[in-house]
Amino acid sequence: FLCVLMEPQDELAPVPPLAEGWESPLADGIPDGLLKIVFWILSHVQSLQPGLCDPAFVYVFGVKVYQPTLFPLCVLAAIIGFGVHRRIKHFRGVVGHEVYGRTFLLFGSMMCMAFVANCITYYRQSPSAIIASWIDQWLTSCCAFTFLFCGLVDLGMIRETSPWTRLFQYAGYGVMFLIYGVIAILEYTFGALGFALAGIFYAFIIAISCPPYLVMEVYSLFFTRKGPRGACWLIATGLFGLAGALCFSLLGTWLCDTLGPLWDGPFWWFLFSDLAMLCLFHFFLGSHVPPKEVDSDSLAPQLSGYQYHPEMDDEERLRYRGRSVPPL
């Protein structure tokens, strides 16, 4: 699959404008008035999409690599995602280790695919580019969707080890995969119509997942954990995430005109995403992991009077988070 995606292409075939999808056979039978309303909405959404700059590129072993400044950020993201996942899975006695570990694993995976979608295939109207974009957007949405479960677990509303929790998570991943598959078909048929729909759904998943997660964590910090440990890292996570989203959308045109294609919206989106996930890792260490265990080399943490207790379930650990557990 990667060999197909990395075939060098001589010319960039951009996604056609929305007007070119108007005469598609799939539009037959739809009232003209409804089509005009839909295309008017999507045309305004399309104006917020990235890729407004003429992409910069370099040749690496005969392969045209677009937006080369994204490559080190994707490598850094993979290191953060896979490295933190490996670190977090060692804290098996900590509430939230499973959902947070899965979040970082998805982050590393999505950024690896983002390199293919943004640097190898870019925004072309070709099957390989559409498939790469499909998988990239799906992994990104799965990562954002998992933030909801992180917040719910921290509030004690669900148990991360429950079969029902895992079922809802994986069912959500599957539904999003199918939705993005349908959008990919529309993108191949309609051109920019499908591209705009993908942007709408992409933004929708992020909007219903990440801001609610931050709200739940603020409530959890100040009302259930008896002390805002890690609050500064949480604030930094939110600020970096907001800055990246603004650069990717509203400020994209200005960054392109001011800084050029090498430092346009996607570059700052990737950079701030890496920084946000680094801050999230420190938030997890500060608010979830006992101080004695953060610097410990042991892979099997001992009782520290904070969250570990061999006879406690998740709800009991949450109840005693931030204060000493009762003696054995």
Side-chain angles (χ1 to χ4, degrees), residues 216-235:
M216 287 187 286
E217 288 303 322
V218 169
Y219 179 84
S220 177
L221 280 174
F222 291 95
F223 295 98
T224 66
R225 298 184 190 173
K226 309 300 181 182
R229 295 187 68 246
C232 292
W233 290 112
L234 180 66
I235 294 173

Side-chain angles (χ1 to χ4, degrees), residues 201-326:
F201 187 66
Y202 180 89
F204 172 75
I205 294 298
I206 293 177
I208 66 171
S209 301
C210 298
Y213 164 76
L214 292 174
V215 173
M216 287 187 286
E217 288 303 322
V218 169
Y219 179 84
S220 177
L221 280 174
F222 291 95
F223 295 98
T224 66
R225 298 184 190 173
K226 309 300 181 182
R229 295 187 68 246
C232 292
W233 290 112
L234 180 66
I235 294 173
T237 299
L239 291 177
F240 280 130
L242 176 61
L246 291 176
C247 291
F248 187 67
S249 56
L250 298 178
L251 300 178
T253 304
W254 179 81
L255 290 171
C256 174
D257 296 338
T258 305
L259 303 178
L262 288 175
W263 319 102
D264 59 353
F267 170 82
W268 297 102
W269 168 244
F270 280 40
L271 176 62
F272 287 133
S273 296
D274 291 353
L275 295 176
M277 295 304 287
L278 272 177
C279 293
L280 181 67
F281 174 50
H282 285 282
F283 165 71
F284 177 82
L285 292 179
S287 62
H288 292 67
V289 182
K292 294 181 181 179
E293 304 299 339
V294 172
D295 300 322
S296 174
D297 294 329
S298 173
L299 301 184
Q302 304 298 318
L303 287 177
S304 61
Y306 185 74
Q307 279 184 290
Y308 301 112
H309 201 290
E311 299 178 356
M312 285 185 176
D313 58 16
D314 288 350
E315 285 88 1
E316 289 175 311
R317 291 193 187 96
L318 282 168
R319 192 181 311 126
Y320 289 103
R321 178 175 293 170
R323 50 185 174 169
S324 298
V325 298

